[in-house]
Amino acid sequence: MVLPRALPPAHGARPGRPGRRRSRRGRLAAGTLCAALVGTLAAVGAPSGTGPAYAAAAEDPAEPLSVTIDSLTPGELPRSGPIEVTGTVTNVDDQTWTTVNLYPFLGDAALTTPAELSRARDTPVRDFVGARVTDPGPYATIETLEPGESADYSFTVARSRLDVDERGVYWFGVHALGQDAAGRDLNADGRARTFLPWVGAEERSLPVSVVVPLRRRVLHEADGRVAGLESWSRALDADGPLTRLVEFGAGADGAPLTWLVDPAVTDAAGRLAAGNPARSIEPTIDPRDPDAPDPDGTDGTDPSGSSSPSGPAEDGSTDPSAPADPDFPETTGTVPERLGDDAVDGLDAEQAALARSAGDWLDDLAAAVGSGSQVLALPYGDLDVAAASRLAPELYRSARRRSGSELEGVELSTSPALASPLGFLPVEALAEAREDETILLTDRMLGGQRADDPLPSVVSIEGRDVVLSSSGAVDGGPGPGERLSSLALRQRILSEAAVRLLDTGQRSPLVLTLPLGWVPDGDPADFFEGLGTSWVDLDTVAEATADRRARRVDSDELTYPDSQLEAELGAADLAAVTELVAAGQHLQDLLTFNDRVASVVSAQAYPTASYLTRPVRAAALRSAQAATDDVRDLLGAVEVSAPPGVTLSSASGRLPATITNTLDQTVTVRLDARSDQPMTLRVPESIEVPPESSTTVLLNATTEQQGVHNVTLVLTDVNDVPLGDVDVVPIRAAQVSRVIWLIMGAGAALLLGAIVVRLVRRVRAARAEHPDEHPSDLTQEQA
């Protein structure tokens, strides 16, 4: 059946046969498609035109009719039964075409190695690759196609018409032969091509792992709100890339997949589902019972259940008893609860729509991940591990801890993984990886597909097992059509699996990571139904590579392109993340009843040094610096002040200091008092200051040295980290010297002695004048 339809204006005419002029409409169409590809890649931060995976899908066609294959059932040459083909034919010329006949064609030689598949993919469009099947033909006919018009076609080909005698992969496609004003010839006026495997009566199966990446650039406003809401709205709408990827995974219908997730993406979606609130310093600990466990059971601990932060051991593994880096503590995610329907209705229309889309996406993701699937978590924020491994290894370790072991808001358990968007990692990154991390590299680091030495799925580099992801499987199919359409990609995966299965060697499992920026088209169920052959065993990376013997590879065999090295983030980008994470921890240490804000700030920090911020590193750096300034403003809201001067009248005395808290939350601080001259200063262990109030404390000062002592009062958090506010108090030690006290004491003694002598003399004189009045006394004297 053939159904003509008008082509949208963007699909204007393209070049016709050789020698025909290219129409203005064709130039616009090519430009539009190329711009769309670049825009898609830029939206996720991928460099456009990087590697075959990003080959342009809109090649300048050499033919006036554009033919597509939209479905191919089954995806292999069956042992019996027909093959059904559907697609479209579009007139991209500037004149009318009539009586367009369609025929299938089949290659005459089998492709049997990955290298042959890679070379075949790049075969020019007009090269002969297979004979046209004309009997009984034509298989479908389109009577008329006006310029810019498109029509659907469908036909079936009997298996008996497709004669093959060797196992392998064959060219398969559709030729369109039409008539224009110049008449008709035997050359195809349009064609579509793909690969079609034939494995014969193969009874074995090959493990195939499809890795679905959920990576996206995540930036925040200075106050912690998710930035770029228009972009998020597009990503989460019905046809958005994030939505389509989750729908793609759901199309597996329970078949095991491997999801490669940046937890920052799901956390950001969770914040959007909660109405995108700003960062909060409200209590997360009940002030009436600070020792009570958190309602969600986290208690601010490691999500794995450890009661204290765990740091990496010397071998890179996690030792639960080892303390974490104090500047990068283990923190638990703090995604706010989703808004209820009534609360969502209270938002403006755009915010409400985004909140609903984000919530639905999280629910769909949880449902799409089947019970047998594997979820691999990247270091939080998809940190540029390549740069961090060279410049700030502790930053990588903290981002890894921040990812935790479960996706918040989705309640999916995760295991750690290391993989860059294009699959390249330097040796330094492998050395920093934890023992329990799954490391995914592109096989291009070892030269890609090589006919003389097929690459295994698992290699050992510097003592670390590494899984090689097939670059060929995700290069897609041949032109002139969309090289990375769902069907082209599916057929390439089947073909790669077929040639591995036919290999008499190890028959290494096929692991492939879907290309960055790839958005599936069509029905995802068709993709997985096509993979559902008897010889393809869909499995997770963990299961597919389990018990596989790793081939040892020397590190000097690895290829890390100069373009990747040049693209890495710099020291300033990583330092900005470190400063923001540290500021968030200081803020948490300041707040008496909040044990979550450090995690919220770190969720804002790590994505600014992501692989996907490489193209916008200046904007990401500004984002990190603005957030740091915002947090430091909060730290600066607590101040210390003292009298302009204090005089000690003795060897010791008291110095009053007033701490003012302008925040609306209770804070706990310490005072660090330092003198420029010998002086002992005793300060309280900690000081709790209620919201928007002041507290005065007395410091005991003792000194044996006279003169002016300049005492610096430094306000710190409970871990003695300065908050920023400082006050200097001059203290004058003016006690009187000991010599003066001795002189004064001797004078007092002499005076007292003189008084006693004078009194005795007066008494004796009085008695001498009146002897009769005191006979007893006289008698006693005489006696």
Short mmCIF file of all heavy atoms in Angstrom, two decimals, residues 294-334:
data_model
loop_
_atom_site.label_atom_id
_atom_site.label_comp_id
_atom_site.label_asym_id
_atom_site.label_seq_id
_atom_site.Cartn_x
_atom_site.Cartn_y
_atom_site.Cartn_z
N ASP A 294 16.60 10.47 62.07
CA ASP A 294 15.89 11.20 61.03
C ASP A 294 14.68 10.40 60.58
O ASP A 294 14.69 9.17 60.58
CB ASP A 294 16.81 11.42 59.82
CG ASP A 294 17.92 12.41 60.15
OD1 ASP A 294 17.82 13.07 61.20
OD2 ASP A 294 18.88 12.51 59.36
N PRO A 295 13.63 11.11 60.16
CA PRO A 295 12.42 10.40 59.73
C PRO A 295 12.66 9.44 58.58
O PRO A 295 11.99 8.42 58.46
CB PRO A 295 11.48 11.54 59.31
CG PRO A 295 11.98 12.73 60.06
CD PRO A 295 13.45 12.56 60.18
N ASP A 296 13.62 9.76 57.69
CA ASP A 296 13.86 8.88 56.55
C ASP A 296 14.90 7.83 56.86
O ASP A 296 15.29 7.04 56.00
CB ASP A 296 14.29 9.67 55.32
CG ASP A 296 15.58 10.47 55.56
OD1 ASP A 296 16.15 10.33 56.66
OD2 ASP A 296 15.98 11.20 54.65
N GLY A 297 15.40 7.83 58.11
CA GLY A 297 16.31 6.77 58.51
C GLY A 297 17.73 6.96 58.09
O GLY A 297 18.56 6.07 58.25
N THR A 298 18.08 8.14 57.53
CA THR A 298 19.44 8.31 57.03
C THR A 298 20.40 8.74 58.12
O THR A 298 21.56 8.37 58.10
CB THR A 298 19.47 9.36 55.92
OG1 THR A 298 18.99 10.60 56.45
CG2 THR A 298 18.62 8.94 54.75
N ASP A 299 19.94 9.56 59.06
CA ASP A 299 20.78 10.04 60.14
C ASP A 299 22.04 10.75 59.64
O ASP A 299 23.05 10.79 60.31
CB ASP A 299 21.22 8.90 61.08
CG ASP A 299 20.03 8.31 61.81
OD1 ASP A 299 19.11 9.07 62.13
OD2 ASP A 299 20.03 7.09 62.05
N GLY A 300 22.01 11.25 58.42
CA GLY A 300 23.17 11.93 57.87
C GLY A 300 24.35 11.03 57.64
O GLY A 300 25.49 11.48 57.59
N THR A 301 24.11 9.73 57.50
CA THR A 301 25.20 8.78 57.35
C THR A 301 25.34 8.35 55.91
O THR A 301 24.58 8.73 55.03
CB THR A 301 24.95 7.54 58.22
OG1 THR A 301 23.76 6.90 57.78
CG2 THR A 301 24.80 7.93 59.68
N ASP A 302 26.33 7.54 55.71
CA ASP A 302 26.55 6.93 54.41
C ASP A 302 25.30 6.17 54.00
O ASP A 302 24.75 5.40 54.77
CB ASP A 302 27.74 5.97 54.54
CG ASP A 302 28.10 5.30 53.24
OD1 ASP A 302 27.27 5.29 52.33
OD2 ASP A 302 29.23 4.79 53.14
N PRO A 303 24.79 6.38 52.75
CA PRO A 303 23.59 5.68 52.33
C PRO A 303 23.69 4.17 52.41
O PRO A 303 22.69 3.47 52.43
CB PRO A 303 23.43 6.15 50.87
CG PRO A 303 24.16 7.44 50.80
CD PRO A 303 25.30 7.31 51.77
N SER A 304 24.91 3.65 52.43
CA SER A 304 25.05 2.21 52.52
C SER A 304 24.74 1.68 53.90
O SER A 304 24.65 0.47 54.11
CB SER A 304 26.49 1.81 52.13
OG SER A 304 27.41 2.33 53.07
N GLY A 305 24.58 2.60 54.88
CA GLY A 305 24.22 2.17 56.21
C GLY A 305 25.32 2.33 57.22
O GLY A 305 25.12 2.10 58.41
N SER A 306 26.50 2.73 56.81
CA SER A 306 27.59 2.93 57.75
C SER A 306 27.28 4.09 58.66
O SER A 306 26.72 5.09 58.26
CB SER A 306 28.89 3.22 56.98
OG SER A 306 29.91 3.58 57.86
N SER A 307 27.63 3.98 59.92
CA SER A 307 27.31 5.02 60.89
C SER A 307 28.28 6.17 60.84
O SER A 307 28.07 7.19 61.48
CB SER A 307 27.32 4.43 62.31
OG SER A 307 28.60 3.91 62.60
N SER A 308 29.35 6.03 60.08
CA SER A 308 30.31 7.11 59.95
C SER A 308 30.80 7.14 58.53
O SER A 308 30.76 6.15 57.81
CB SER A 308 31.48 6.91 60.92
OG SER A 308 32.15 5.72 60.61
N PRO A 309 31.29 8.30 58.09
CA PRO A 309 31.78 8.39 56.73
C PRO A 309 32.91 7.41 56.50
O PRO A 309 33.70 7.12 57.38
CB PRO A 309 32.27 9.84 56.64
CG PRO A 309 31.53 10.56 57.72
CD PRO A 309 31.37 9.56 58.82
N SER A 310 32.95 6.90 55.30
CA SER A 310 34.02 5.98 54.95
C SER A 310 34.87 6.57 53.86
O SER A 310 34.37 7.16 52.93
CB SER A 310 33.44 4.64 54.49
OG SER A 310 32.62 4.84 53.37
N GLY A 311 36.15 6.42 53.99
CA GLY A 311 37.08 6.94 53.00
C GLY A 311 37.76 5.81 52.27
O GLY A 311 37.70 4.66 52.66
N PRO A 312 38.43 6.13 51.16
CA PRO A 312 39.08 5.11 50.37
C PRO A 312 40.34 4.61 51.04
O PRO A 312 41.09 5.37 51.64
CB PRO A 312 39.41 5.86 49.07
CG PRO A 312 39.52 7.29 49.48
CD PRO A 312 38.58 7.46 50.61
N ALA A 313 40.55 3.32 50.98
CA ALA A 313 41.78 2.76 51.52
C ALA A 313 42.91 3.00 50.53
O ALA A 313 42.72 3.54 49.46
CB ALA A 313 41.59 1.26 51.77
N GLU A 314 44.12 2.59 50.91
CA GLU A 314 45.26 2.85 50.07
C GLU A 314 45.12 2.18 48.71
O GLU A 314 45.67 2.65 47.71
CB GLU A 314 46.54 2.36 50.76
CG GLU A 314 46.90 3.19 52.00
CD GLU A 314 48.20 2.72 52.62
OE1 GLU A 314 48.79 1.76 52.08
OE2 GLU A 314 48.62 3.31 53.62
N ASP A 315 44.44 1.06 48.66
CA ASP A 315 44.28 0.37 47.39
C ASP A 315 43.11 0.89 46.58
O ASP A 315 42.78 0.38 45.53
CB ASP A 315 44.11 -1.14 47.61
CG ASP A 315 42.86 -1.46 48.41
OD1 ASP A 315 42.16 -0.51 48.84
OD2 ASP A 315 42.56 -2.66 48.61
N GLY A 316 42.47 1.95 47.07
CA GLY A 316 41.34 2.54 46.36
C GLY A 316 40.00 2.00 46.77
O GLY A 316 38.97 2.54 46.39
N SER A 317 39.97 0.94 47.55
CA SER A 317 38.70 0.38 47.99
C SER A 317 38.16 1.18 49.16
O SER A 317 38.83 2.03 49.72
CB SER A 317 38.87 -1.09 48.39
OG SER A 317 39.77 -1.19 49.47
N THR A 318 36.95 0.88 49.54
CA THR A 318 36.32 1.61 50.63
C THR A 318 36.43 0.82 51.92
O THR A 318 35.93 -0.30 52.02
CB THR A 318 34.84 1.88 50.31
OG1 THR A 318 34.77 2.67 49.15
CG2 THR A 318 34.19 2.62 51.45
N ASP A 319 37.07 1.38 52.90
CA ASP A 319 37.20 0.77 54.21
C ASP A 319 36.22 1.48 55.14
O ASP A 319 36.40 2.65 55.44
CB ASP A 319 38.64 0.93 54.71
CG ASP A 319 38.82 0.35 56.12
OD1 ASP A 319 37.85 -0.23 56.64
OD2 ASP A 319 39.92 0.50 56.67
N PRO A 320 35.17 0.80 55.59
CA PRO A 320 34.17 1.47 56.42
C PRO A 320 34.75 2.08 57.68
O PRO A 320 34.19 3.02 58.23
CB PRO A 320 33.18 0.34 56.75
CG PRO A 320 33.37 -0.66 55.67
CD PRO A 320 34.83 -0.60 55.32
N SER A 321 35.87 1.56 58.16
CA SER A 321 36.44 2.10 59.38
C SER A 321 37.38 3.26 59.14
O SER A 321 37.83 3.90 60.07
CB SER A 321 37.21 0.98 60.12
OG SER A 321 38.32 0.55 59.33
N ALA A 322 37.68 3.53 57.87
CA ALA A 322 38.64 4.60 57.57
C ALA A 322 37.91 5.93 57.52
O ALA A 322 36.84 6.05 56.95
CB ALA A 322 39.31 4.33 56.23
N PRO A 323 38.48 6.97 58.13
CA PRO A 323 37.83 8.28 58.10
C PRO A 323 37.90 8.90 56.73
O PRO A 323 38.86 8.71 55.99
CB PRO A 323 38.65 9.09 59.12
CG PRO A 323 40.00 8.45 59.10
CD PRO A 323 39.75 6.98 58.86
N ALA A 324 36.85 9.63 56.39
CA ALA A 324 36.84 10.33 55.11
C ALA A 324 37.65 11.61 55.22
O ALA A 324 37.99 12.06 56.29
CB ALA A 324 35.40 10.64 54.70
N ASP A 325 37.96 12.17 54.08
CA ASP A 325 38.64 13.46 54.05
C ASP A 325 37.76 14.48 54.75
O ASP A 325 36.59 14.66 54.37
CB ASP A 325 38.86 13.86 52.58
CG ASP A 325 39.72 15.10 52.44
OD1 ASP A 325 39.66 15.95 53.35
OD2 ASP A 325 40.42 15.22 51.43
N PRO A 326 38.24 15.20 55.78
CA PRO A 326 37.38 16.13 56.51
C PRO A 326 36.83 17.25 55.64
O PRO A 326 35.79 17.81 55.93
CB PRO A 326 38.30 16.67 57.62
CG PRO A 326 39.69 16.41 57.12
CD PRO A 326 39.60 15.16 56.31
N ASP A 327 37.54 17.60 54.57
CA ASP A 327 37.03 18.64 53.69
C ASP A 327 35.98 18.13 52.72
O ASP A 327 35.29 18.91 52.08
CB ASP A 327 38.19 19.26 52.89
CG ASP A 327 39.11 20.09 53.77
OD1 ASP A 327 38.61 20.64 54.78
OD2 ASP A 327 40.31 20.18 53.46
N PHE A 328 35.87 16.81 52.60
CA PHE A 328 34.89 16.21 51.69
C PHE A 328 34.17 15.09 52.41
O PHE A 328 34.39 13.91 52.13
CB PHE A 328 35.59 15.69 50.43
CG PHE A 328 36.32 16.75 49.67
CD1 PHE A 328 37.67 16.95 49.87
CD2 PHE A 328 35.66 17.56 48.78
CE1 PHE A 328 38.35 17.93 49.17
CE2 PHE A 328 36.32 18.54 48.08
CZ PHE A 328 37.68 18.72 48.28
N PRO A 329 33.33 15.40 53.37
CA PRO A 329 32.68 14.35 54.16
C PRO A 329 31.63 13.62 53.35
O PRO A 329 31.13 14.12 52.35
CB PRO A 329 32.02 15.15 55.30
CG PRO A 329 31.76 16.49 54.69
CD PRO A 329 32.90 16.75 53.75
N GLU A 330 31.34 12.41 53.81
CA GLU A 330 30.24 11.64 53.22
C GLU A 330 28.95 12.35 53.54
O GLU A 330 28.67 12.69 54.69
CB GLU A 330 30.23 10.24 53.81
CG GLU A 330 29.13 9.37 53.25
CD GLU A 330 29.52 8.78 51.92
OE1 GLU A 330 30.59 8.19 51.83
OE2 GLU A 330 28.72 8.92 50.99
N THR A 331 28.14 12.62 52.53
CA THR A 331 26.89 13.32 52.76
C THR A 331 25.75 12.57 52.09
O THR A 331 25.93 11.92 51.07
CB THR A 331 26.93 14.75 52.21
OG1 THR A 331 27.45 14.72 50.87
CG2 THR A 331 27.82 15.63 53.07
N THR A 332 24.60 12.69 52.67
CA THR A 332 23.41 12.03 52.14
C THR A 332 22.60 13.01 51.33
O THR A 332 22.47 14.16 51.70
CB THR A 332 22.57 11.48 53.30
OG1 THR A 332 23.38 10.62 54.08
CG2 THR A 332 21.38 10.72 52.77
N GLY A 333 22.04 12.55 50.22
CA GLY A 333 21.26 13.43 49.37
C GLY A 333 20.06 14.02 50.09
O GLY A 333 19.53 13.44 51.03
N THR A 334 19.64 15.17 49.63
CA THR A 334 18.56 15.87 50.31
C THR A 334 17.57 16.43 49.30
O THR A 334 17.36 17.62 49.24
CB THR A 334 19.12 17.01 51.16
OG1 THR A 334 19.95 17.83 50.33
CG2 THR A 334 19.94 16.50 52.31
#
